[in-house]
């Protein structure tokens, strides 16, 4: 059994099933000292979700318990990400908060972008948050990260149009 921390579109149970990730359990989780960003370049040129270290930050998601080969099924769909080990907080069977180790997909440095995410992609994440009953703070986190990515992309375009630095 392996644990997988999902914070992007894989929050949606249907998406996990469509991707052949047969999970046996799912629990809400929190990744501390990180923040959600939209800076991973997707195949269509728009940004995808990513997590990055950030003092005091919080990323809401879920932990899926997968069979031992479950991450392999997901990796086929997660190009441009590497698996990283993270410590997340989940509710234990007795209701107490416990820390567990889980795998998470983290974007490779050479796959970063300043493009904004597609609205449809952000909508999938918001649906996933609602599906798992995650707190309103989770929705706010996603909306702020998506808006921040859009502002960064607009600022880069403005600089380029003025002849400023282009990355």
């Amino acid at each position: 059994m392996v644990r997988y921390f999902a914070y992007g579109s894989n929050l949606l149970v249907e998406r996990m099933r469509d991707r052949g990730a047969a999970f046996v359990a799912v629990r809400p989780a929190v990744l501390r000292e990180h923040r959600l960003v939209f800076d991973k370049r997707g195949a269509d040129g728009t940004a995808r979700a990513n997590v990055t270290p950030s003092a005091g930050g919080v990323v809401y998601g879920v932990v899926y318990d997968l069979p031992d080969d479950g991450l392999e099924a997901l990796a086929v769909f997660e190009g441009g990400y590497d698996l990283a080990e993270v410590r997340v907080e989940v509710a234990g069977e007795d209701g107490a908060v416990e820390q567990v180790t889980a795998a998470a997909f983290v974007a490779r440095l050479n796959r970063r972008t300043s493009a904004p995410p597609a609205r449809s992609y952000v909508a999938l994440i918001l649906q996933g948050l609602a599906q798992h009953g995650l707190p309103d703070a989770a929705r706010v986190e996603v909306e702020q990260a998506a808006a921040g990515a859009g502002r960064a992309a607009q600022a880069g375009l403005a600089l380029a149009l003025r002849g400023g630095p282009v990355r």
Side-chain angles (χ1 to χ4, degrees):
M1 187 72 55
V2 295
R3 291 186 176 113
Y4 163 57
F5 177 67
Y7 55 85
S9 62
N10 285 342
L11 285 163
L12 278 170
V13 168
E14 297 82 5
R15 192 165 186 91
M16 290 288 286
R17 288 186 179 130
D18 289 347
R19 292 179 169 192
F23 57 91
V24 294
V26 58
R27 298 183 280 173
V30 174
L31 173 62
R32 297 206 181 271
E33 301 301 315
H34 286 74
R35 68 185 170 94
L36 181 74
V37 293
F38 288 92
D39 69 353
K40 190 263 182 187
R41 185 179 65 249
D44 64 356
T46 64
R48 297 292 187 263
N50 189 23
V51 292
T52 189
S54 180
V58 175
V59 178
Y60 295 91
V62 297
V63 167
Y64 288 100
D65 291 339
L66 303 172
D68 290 337
D69 62 349
L71 290 173
E72 293 172 21
L74 288 176
V76 171
F77 298 94
E78 301 296 340
Y81 289 97
D82 288 320
L83 282 169
E85 190 174 280
V86 296
R87 296 281 296 165
V88 296
E89 295 174 0
V90 297
E93 291 182 24
D94 62 358
V97 174
E98 65 179 275
Q99 290 222 346
V100 299
T101 300
F105 287 102
V106 177
R108 296 181 189 138
L109 289 176
N110 68 348
R111 291 296 300 268
R112 302 293 172 88
T113 184
S114 61
R119 287 184 184 159
S120 58
Y121 176 72
V122 174
L124 290 175
I125 297 171
L126 295 173
Q127 288 171 17
L129 295 173
Q131 186 175 62
H132 296 288
L134 292 170
D136 195 51
R139 178 191 54 78
V140 171
E141 172 197 29
V142 170
E143 290 173 346
Q144 288 178 343
R151 284 192 300 274
Q154 289 173 347
L157 177 60
L159 273 174
L161 292 173
R162 290 193 308 259
V166 177
R167 297 183 222 191

